[in-house]
Amino acid sequence: MKVGIIVSGGREHAICQALSKSKKVDELYCFPGNAGTALIAKNIALNVEDFNELKKFLLSNKINLIIIGPEKYLVDGIVDFLEEQNIKVFGPNKIASQLEGSKIFTKNICEKYNIPTAKFGIFENISEANKFIEKNNYPLVIKADGLAAGKGVYICNNKAEATLGIKEIFEGKFGKAKNILIEEFLEGEEMSYFIITDGKTIKNFETAQDHKRVLEGDLGKNTGGMGAYSPSRLINNELEKKILKKIIEPTIKGLKEIGTNYKGFLYAGLMIVKNEPFLIEYNVRMGDPECQTILPKLNSDLLDIILACCDEKLHETEIKWLNKKSLCVVLCSKGYPEQYKKNVLIKDIAKIKLDSDEYCYHAGTAKNEGKIYAIGGRVLNFVCLSEDFSKARTKIFDLIKLLNWDGGFFRKDIGYKVIDK
Ligand code: AMP
Ligand code: GLY
């Protein structure tokens, strides 16, 4: 089979590598790919934003399946567009993708089906929102409705911060805002819970905990993710049953009632409060770097799982996992998530020799005349499987030392809640 993947970073390199192990995959294509995917796939430079250009390439090259990684294209309706051309595509359609594309859409589903989530209000203008924050306790959480690439959420400790958040959102900092969400602050510990579904069958796709903040101790600015570990220390059978019964199943049912079948990965960002799950947000894709952390544990053929999902035969497929711990450390360009230099040579990357439990997934890298350059904020993801989180992290640090790259930095405390207790 010929399989294509729409790529944005390390998550898709991990998907690509898992697919490359499948006997059924003859050729892989990445749009546009990076220096890592270039080793196992054909990198194709075309403008994915132009769905027509992509369609032409897929049809003329007889690509049998296309996997969509990033949320933006899903929310823009790439699945509906390609399915109309009879192209097999993995990912949720435009309506289902509203679960990530509109926080208000998701909150309305939560309300209708009694899904546990933070109490909330929706406000259509500045004065209504300002009136509401007058009489509320802090902290309060203020959110833009649409996609904001991990930004657009203000945790406000006082009225001044809340007023600023409301002003910036309505002024269009995260795109045109018709309304705003204000919600109660939930005190607990976060967990990422993943499933894959064809709309009929729901299968667990593991748990993880990511570290979104740039500085050690989970401080500083939010980033795309500085590292993760899997499984989450919070998961247990009782909690998992509650997540499925109270959150995931009613959501899939709710979409069905509005005429939509959810197909693809679904990522629930949860706050766990005394072993009770609350939904913070949905993402209609795998997490990044959670995907890089989870996929090395997969002990089944990823292509079989994805095809079964596309064909609504997920019930026939068994998803097996290695009983190991996994930890991922993300290496970033100095300055990220603010300004950083681009096109910086990573000169000792060839010195990295990985054993069978070690992985190095590329994100913002490019190859030029045989050399590998950092071109993005998040550059490389080092992942290690082990029976022990601490051993996994030590092995990753040993790999990073070999790299000897002074243009980069990483957090040395990834997994501190399961290691440095
Ligand atoms: P979101 O983009 O909705 O996932 O929010 C980004 C981050 O803000 C989450 O990962 C949480 O750390 C935090 N957050 C969002 N909503 C809440 C809430 N209601 N209570 C506490 N923290 C929240
Ligand atoms: N790890 C957070 C995300 O993928 O959105």
Side-chain angles (χ1 to χ4, degrees):
M1 272 188 92
K2 289 182 172 185
V3 183
I5 302 163
I6 294 188
V7 183
S8 74
R11 174 180 52 207
E12 291 79 19
H13 186 197
I15 293 176
C16 210
Q17 204 175 90
L19 288 171
S20 71
K21 290 192 216 145
S22 172
K23 288 196 183 72
K24 294 182 200 103
V25 172
D26 299 310
E27 272 182 279
L28 285 166
Y29 293 78
C30 288
F31 305 93
N34 56 32
T37 63
L39 301 171
I40 45 178
K42 287 186 179 154
N43 283 352
I44 309 292
L46 62 73
N47 177 17
V48 180
E49 306 244 326
D50 182 346
F51 294 171
N52 253 313
E53 199 181 315
L54 176 70
K55 175 196 84 180
K56 277 189 209 143
F57 185 92
L58 297 176
L59 290 175
S60 61
N61 289 278
K62 300 193 169 60
I63 309 284
N64 307 97
L65 167 71
I66 177 90
I67 297 165
I68 318 293
E71 64 276 14
K72 183 180 180 306
Y73 305 118
L74 295 166
V75 171
D76 287 346
I78 196 168
V79 170
D80 312 57
F81 176 84
L82 294 175
E83 279 182 344
E84 271 168 29
Q85 319 291 326
N86 291 319
I87 294 170
K88 192 172 283 214
V89 46
F90 176 73
N93 65 20
K94 188 170 183 174
I95 294 178
S97 298
Q98 287 296 298
L99 285 181
E100 180 164 1
S102 165
K103 291 186 192 295
I104 293 176
F105 176 87
T106 298
K107 282 292 196 190
N108 287 335
I109 291 192
C110 289
E111 199 159 48
K112 189 163 171 199
Y113 296 95
N114 237 340
I115 294 172
T117 186
K119 291 195 196 85
F120 69 100
I122 296 165
F123 301 89
E124 288 181 352
N125 57 56
I126 291 199
S127 67
E128 253 184 63
N130 281 340
K131 220 183 283 164
F132 178 81
I133 60 165
E134 281 292 338
K135 47 183 178 357
N136 253 282
N137 297 329
Y138 290 88
L140 260 187
V141 186
I142 299 190
K143 298 184 178 181
D145 181 34
L147 283 187
K151 302 183 182 97
V153 174
Y154 294 75
I155 311 282
C156 308
N157 290 306
N158 52 52
K159 196 177 133 195
E161 288 174 8
T163 312
L164 178 72
I166 292 168
K167 183 169 167 282
E168 288 191 343
I169 293 173
F170 274 118
E171 278 177 359
K173 188 165 178 186
F174 310 100
K176 201 167 181 292
K178 271 204 259 154
N179 35 36
I180 202 170
L181 194 66
I182 304 187
E183 62 181 48
E184 128 195 68
F185 178 81
L186 292 170
E187 190 105 46
E189 192 171 324
E190 284 181 68
M191 176 172 104
S192 307
Y193 185 85
F194 299 91
I195 59 128
I196 184 168
T197 180
D198 56 7
K200 294 182 193 159
T201 305
I202 293 168
K203 296 223 170 188
N204 164 292
F205 215 77
E206 283 288 302
T207 60
Q209 163 106 56
D210 75 342
H211 293 271
K212 289 198 178 99
R213 304 293 194 96
V214 70
L215 300 178
E216 279 160 27
D218 291 325
L219 299 170
K221 291 228 146 94
N222 247 338
T223 70
M226 299 295 295
Y229 62 90
S230 171
S232 156
R233 67 173 187 158
L234 300 170
I235 195 67
N236 56 61
N237 284 341
E238 191 193 338
L239 178 62
E240 178 150 27
K241 273 190 202 141
K242 289 180 197 164
I243 294 168
L244 289 167
K245 271 246 121 23
K246 294 183 175 185
I247 298 178
I248 308 285
E249 288 169 11
T251 303
I252 302 299
K253 181 167 161 258
L255 288 173
K256 217 164 252 167
E257 284 177 10
I258 56 168
T260 281
N261 209 32
Y262 193 103
K263 276 192 196 178
F265 291 121
L266 179 63
Y267 157 1
L270 304 171
M271 189 68 86
I272 310 301
V273 187
K274 298 188 187 120
N275 216 36
E276 286 296 325
F278 290 81
L279 180 69
I280 296 183
E281 63 160 358
Y282 272 130
N283 297 302
V284 293
R285 51 175 172 83
M286 278 302 285
D288 184 333
E290 292 99 322
C291 185
Q292 297 90 302
T293 317
I294 287 172
L295 275 184
K297 296 199 299 177
L298 181 66
N299 199 17
S300 298
D301 185 315
L302 181 62
L303 182 72
D304 284 343
I305 298 167
I306 287 179
L307 287 175
C309 184
C310 291
D311 298 338
E312 297 184 17
K313 288 184 177 159
L314 201 55
H315 62 283
E316 292 175 4
T317 307
E318 195 188 350
I319 305 182
K320 287 193 234 143
W321 299 97
L322 297 175
N323 186 19
K324 286 195 178 175
K325 311 269 195 283
S326 179
L327 191 125
C328 168
V329 175
V330 180
L331 201 58
C332 303
S333 296
K334 273 185 188 158
Y336 175 78
E338 312 277 1
Q339 296 297 319
Y340 54 83
K341 280 197 211 148
K342 287 190 180 162
N343 295 311
V344 179
L345 181 68
I346 314 174
K347 60 177 185 307
D348 285 342
I349 196 161
K351 287 193 184 155
I352 303 276
K353 300 277 177 279
L354 302 167
D355 73 24
S356 61
D357 272 341
E358 294 169 344
Y359 300 79
C360 174
Y361 297 120
H362 290 229
T365 65
K367 203 168 179 177
N368 195 356
E369 293 180 353
K371 294 194 171 125
I372 292 179
Y373 292 83
I375 59 160
R378 291 192 293 168
V379 179
L380 294 170
N381 305 263
F382 286 92
V383 181
C384 184
L385 296 185
S386 175
E387 66 287 356
D388 181 281
F389 282 122
S390 175
K391 279 191 194 144
R393 196 170 72 179
T394 305
K395 283 181 81 185
I396 290 173
F397 292 163
D398 290 344
L399 289 173
I400 296 178
K401 264 185 227 144
L402 289 177
L403 193 62
N404 188 25
W405 182 42
D406 62 10
F409 77 99
F410 60 98
R411 268 181 64 171
K412 294 171 191 68
D413 68 339
I414 300 301
Y416 67 86
K417 283 188 179 148
V418 282
I419 298 177
D420 313 310
K421 284 171 284 191

